[in-house]
Amino acid sequence: MEMNSYKTDEALAKKSKFSTMPRLFSYLMKYKGRVAVVLLLMGVGTTIDLINPLMIEHAVDSFIVPSDIAGLLKMVALFVALNIVMVLAIKLRMLVMAKTSNRVILDLRQQLYDHIQKLDLKFFDSRPSGKILARIIGDTNSLKDIIENAVTTLIPNLITVIAVMAIMFVKNWKLALAALCSMPVMVVGIFLISIKAEKYWRAKRQKSSNMNAFINEDLSGIKIIQSFRAEDETDKTFQELVWADRKEFLNAVRWCDGFGSWIDLCWSVGTMALYLVGIMVLGVDSVSIGTYIAFGYYVGMFWQPIMNLSNFYNQAVNAASGAERIFEIMDTEATVTDVPDASVMPGIKGDVSFENVTFSYDGEVDVLHDVSFDVEAGKTIALVGPTGAGKSTVVNLLSRFYDIKGGRILIDGKDIRSVTIDSLRTQMGIMTQDNYIFSGTIRDNIAYGKLDATEDEIVEAAKAVHAHDFISQLKDGYDTKLTARGGELSNGQRQLVAFARTMLSKPRILVLDEATSSIDTKTELLVQAGIARLLKGRTSFVIAHRLSTIQNADCIYVIDGGKIVERGSPAELMAKKGAYYDLYQRQFA
């Protein structure tokens, strides 16, 4: 069993991290006040850190060498007081920035989720739900540290490096050149290492997404896996995905470790060069002891931020790959949208017309070919035909989950592309074979059809589809808690709850897509009676393989190969002995 959709990486447009990261950091601008406080605290801490070596130099040359104990004690007191202030500034800076970065991640995740909610079904058809989940949770979580460290690590370390270089050159340019002699070599090495590291971090994020997608789908289908005894096969696939993720992670870490080793080498060379030049070129007596000590501190203060910046770079490369994946979704435009001058759909009467409608899911192969039909308001239309004929496509287009390739779809004479999607769908009710049950109470699930529904309205809808009786027999009645997908209920009970939910919305047009297939014959008769009573005068489209459920339809359309090959009442079609007659004979022979 090959699960190639999980082993294949998603194709992303390759962008430079330098274009992705500024866009990510732009989310900080919403919190300018907090960032300003962080920068102020950072300035206090960095300034004190930079003058520490100068204070030590002054203490050595002015107080320790001449044995001025009183002056030394005063200097120590000042040193301790300033460093207490520095520590407090650092701690407060980190606290404020941690809160700010969490808010940024919250905003980013909310914006991503809101955008995904607005995308059409074509987007979801091409992606496993696990990969979408990985972007909402995993990829956004990976950005928290980089956003926080951009202010708490990147800026202060850059300032420290520049300031240390300036101070060293002002104090003694010859010692400064010696201490920084290995810097060009360091820059070249880091540039070469970064190219490889970026490649492997991007690959690692893709492999992680593949693994998350597989886990999500595997757990969702665990019943099927266990029933077919496919545990060994899925375990094999999982191991392949885990090891692929591990391989890319280790590759990335190996190259990133090279940053630290290379910088350590350059640091050591610079330190040795400092003392060699100081002793052998300038001479021991030409530079004070305090200056040597200060330069020793400044060398550490130069190379340690470089080390921190290399670690930050590693984070940035990893975060950039996650940011690319997030922004790739946020830059995905919905293909089904309101036109600029879309109007609000008035109360639907229910006349429906398809005029020469052609449609393709992939833009190449047409699944509907020049389909035309008219339905009067209040009529019940049944769509029958073999699997894959295009029945569900017809009702998906009516609800405008997809846009047609050619022709027009009219409701009450209005082209559905000329009205807002919300005003159209709020007047339609759609029930499928696999109506989703959300975690929560039965009451919550029914009320999903009308969020402001009263208790009486919820009970009335349940009674109308004959769900009230079984709900009342449950221990907690309408307050019975359900898990996602409603595993505590039978298939028929889940369908009845879904019926009640749709009935509560009082749709003007109703779509039943194999909606009664999970209900036993006795319950089905009750539900059909409830539907007939509640939807009298409303236009209904019924997709059914069980032909016994559509004998009361006003008209039946037989669809095959993306075309309507036959239409008429059940009696008329049986008399013709055509396509419908053949379907009926095969089903009841």
Side-chain angles (χ1 to χ4, degrees):
M1 180 176 62
E2 282 292 326
M3 298 193 177
N4 293 322
S5 62
Y6 303 110
K7 299 177 184 176
T8 303
D9 297 329
E10 299 158 281
L12 296 178
K14 188 175 181 180
K15 299 179 182 178
S16 168
K17 56 186 173 295
F18 298 109
S19 63
T20 303
M21 300 312 287
R23 180 176 178 183
L24 176 62
F25 294 141
S26 67
Y27 284 82
L28 277 171
M29 293 301 98
K30 181 179 177 181
Y31 303 97
K32 295 178 182 177
R34 294 187 183 184
V35 174
V37 171
V38 171
L39 293 175
L40 177 62
L41 294 169
M42 179 201 69
V44 173
T46 303
T47 300
I48 295 174
D49 195 32
L50 287 170
I51 65 175
N52 275 338
L54 298 178
M55 295 175 67
I56 293 172
E57 177 189 22
H58 182 64
V60 171
D61 292 341
S62 300
F63 303 120
I64 294 178
V65 173
S67 300
D68 184 352
I69 303 302
L72 179 61
L73 291 175
K74 292 179 181 179
M75 179 59 70
V76 169
L78 177 61
F79 183 87
V80 171
L82 288 176
N83 279 270
I84 289 175
V85 173
M86 180 182 71
V87 170
L88 292 175
I90 292 174
K91 293 294 184 183
L92 185 57
R93 178 191 74 188
M94 294 176 66
L95 176 62
V96 174
M97 196 60 216
K99 291 183 177 180
T100 304
S101 62
N102 275 311
R103 287 301 303 272
V104 170
I105 292 300
L106 178 64
D107 294 343
L108 185 62
R109 181 175 286 136
Q110 185 66 57
Q111 184 177 349
L112 176 62
Y113 180 79
D114 290 344
H115 182 73
I116 289 175
Q117 291 271 73
K118 297 175 182 177
L119 294 176
D120 47 76
L121 293 184
K122 186 176 181 180
F123 170 83
F124 299 97
D125 291 340
S126 62
R127 289 171 174 81
S129 58
K131 291 197 174 186
I132 300 174
L133 183 66
R135 298 201 187 187
I136 297 176
I137 298 177
D139 287 340
T140 50
N141 282 341
S142 71
L143 304 182
K144 179 182 179 298
D145 288 341
I146 193 65
I147 292 174
E148 183 175 336
N149 291 338
V151 178
T152 60
T153 298
L154 177 63
I155 296 176
N157 280 284
L158 281 175
I159 292 175
T160 298
V161 168
I162 295 171
V164 165
M165 289 177 63
I167 292 171
M168 290 171 71
F169 274 99
V170 168
K171 290 191 67 64
N172 191 311
W173 66 272
K174 294 179 181 179
L175 289 178
L177 284 176
L180 304 179
C181 66
S182 58
M183 186 174 176
V185 179
M186 180 270 296
V187 172
V188 173
I190 285 182
F191 174 74
L192 295 176
I193 293 172
S194 68
I195 295 175
K196 282 287 188 179
E198 181 178 358
K199 170 188 172 182
Y200 286 119
W201 278 123
R202 179 181 285 108
K204 198 274 178 192
R205 294 301 306 174
Q206 290 177 331
K207 300 304 181 185
S208 294
S209 176
N210 294 343
M211 181 177 64
N212 291 335
F214 174 78
I215 293 172
N216 179 269
E217 301 298 321
D218 184 71
L219 294 178
S220 298
I222 191 65
K223 184 177 180 181
I224 301 299
I225 292 171
Q226 291 180 349
S227 65
F228 285 98
R229 303 301 300 156
E231 291 92 341
D232 291 341
E233 289 294 327
T234 54
D235 182 66
K236 179 181 176 182
T237 303
F238 178 71
Q239 287 184 33
E240 292 176 8
L241 294 172
V242 169
W243 280 93
D245 178 67
R246 176 183 180 273
K247 177 184 176 182
E248 299 301 342
F249 175 74
L250 291 178
N251 286 334
V253 169
R254 288 190 188 104
W255 281 96
C256 287
D257 284 346
F259 282 109
S261 301
W262 190 251
I263 292 172
D264 280 338
L265 177 62
C266 295
W267 187 344
S268 300
V269 171
T271 302
M272 287 189 293
L274 167 68
Y275 292 114
L276 285 174
V277 170
I279 295 172
M280 300 179 65
V281 178
L282 299 180
V284 177
D285 297 330
S286 62
V287 181
S288 69
I289 297 175
T291 300
Y292 273 119
I293 294 175
F295 258 82
Y297 274 105
Y298 279 128
V299 168
M301 289 181 65
F302 176 82
W303 288 107
Q304 186 58 54
I306 295 292
M307 183 74 77
N308 295 339
L309 290 173
S310 72
N311 292 331
F312 175 82
Y313 178 84
N314 293 337
Q315 286 184 331
V317 171
N318 187 21
S321 62
E324 287 173 12
R325 297 159 61 77
I326 290 172
F327 292 136
E328 185 266 341
I329 287 185
M330 293 178 67
D331 291 338
T332 299
E333 298 291 340
T335 57
V336 180
T337 58
D338 293 333
V339 296
D341 57 346
S343 59
V344 175
M345 185 74 180
I348 290 176
K349 176 185 175 184
D351 291 322
V352 176
S353 296
F354 273 53
E355 296 181 353
N356 307 111
V357 171
T358 300
F359 174 73
S360 170
Y361 284 104
D362 58 10
E364 297 179 2
V365 180
D366 291 341
V367 294
L368 289 184
H369 310 272
D370 199 30
V371 173
S372 297
F373 62 81
D374 295 300
V375 178
E376 293 181 17
K379 298 294 184 180
T380 297
I381 304 301
L383 305 177
V384 301
T387 300
K391 306 182 295 297
S392 295
T393 300
V394 170
V395 294
N396 283 335
L397 295 179
L398 181 62
S399 307
R400 210 181 164 208
F401 288 126
Y402 303 91
D403 269 341
I404 58 178
K405 181 179 178 181
R408 292 196 306 168
I409 300 176
L410 308 176
I411 295 180
D412 296 342
K414 279 184 171 291
D415 190 322
I416 62 173
R417 289 173 295 187
S418 68
V419 300
T420 62
I421 296 173
D422 282 348
S423 65
L424 171 67
R425 292 180 185 165
T426 53
Q427 301 188 67
M428 301 186 69
I430 302 171
M431 289 181 285
T432 66
Q433 181 178 354
D434 185 27
N435 274 290
Y436 196 86
I437 298 297
F438 297 91
S439 58
T441 65
I442 292 180
R443 177 185 287 101
D444 295 336
N445 272 276
I446 297 177
Y448 208 81
K450 183 183 177 185
L451 298 179
D452 60 348
T454 64
E455 181 71 15
D456 289 341
E457 288 176 321
I458 292 172
V459 173
E460 181 184 351
K463 286 181 176 179
V465 297
H466 302 280
H468 178 73
D469 291 341
F470 93 81
I471 295 174
S472 300
Q473 293 173 6
L474 297 175
K475 179 181 178 182
D476 296 320
Y478 285 85
D479 293 317
T480 299
K481 293 187 179 297
L482 305 176
T483 56
R485 298 188 179 277
E488 298 83 356
L489 304 178
S490 68
N491 286 339
Q493 289 171 335
R494 287 197 294 270
Q495 288 296 95
L496 291 175
V497 170
F499 267 106
R501 179 169 62 200
T502 303
M503 293 305 100
L504 185 61
S505 68
K506 297 182 179 179
R508 302 302 305 171
I509 295 178
L510 178 67
V511 174
L512 305 178
D513 189 350
E514 287 294 325
T516 61
S517 60
S518 297
I519 300 176
D520 60 79
T521 304
K522 178 181 178 181
T523 305
E524 182 182 326
L525 293 174
L526 295 174
V527 171
Q528 293 288 1
I531 292 174
R533 188 165 60 252
L534 266 180
L535 297 187
K536 186 177 181 180
R538 292 182 173 87
T539 307
S540 302
F541 288 82
V542 181
I543 298 175
H545 285 291
R546 291 162 59 180
L547 303 183
S548 61
T549 64
I550 57 170
Q551 294 308 302
N552 294 324
D554 295 300
C555 186
I556 296 175
Y557 294 144
V558 182
I559 301 178
D560 194 1
K563 297 180 179 180
I564 296 177
V565 296
E566 211 169 57
R567 68 186 75 193
S569 68
E572 291 171 344
L573 295 181
M574 288 297 292
K576 286 183 180 180
K577 294 190 176 182
Y580 179 79
Y581 179 84
D582 292 339
L583 286 173
Y584 193 91
Q585 289 298 109
R586 285 197 296 269
Q587 190 166 125
F588 294 102

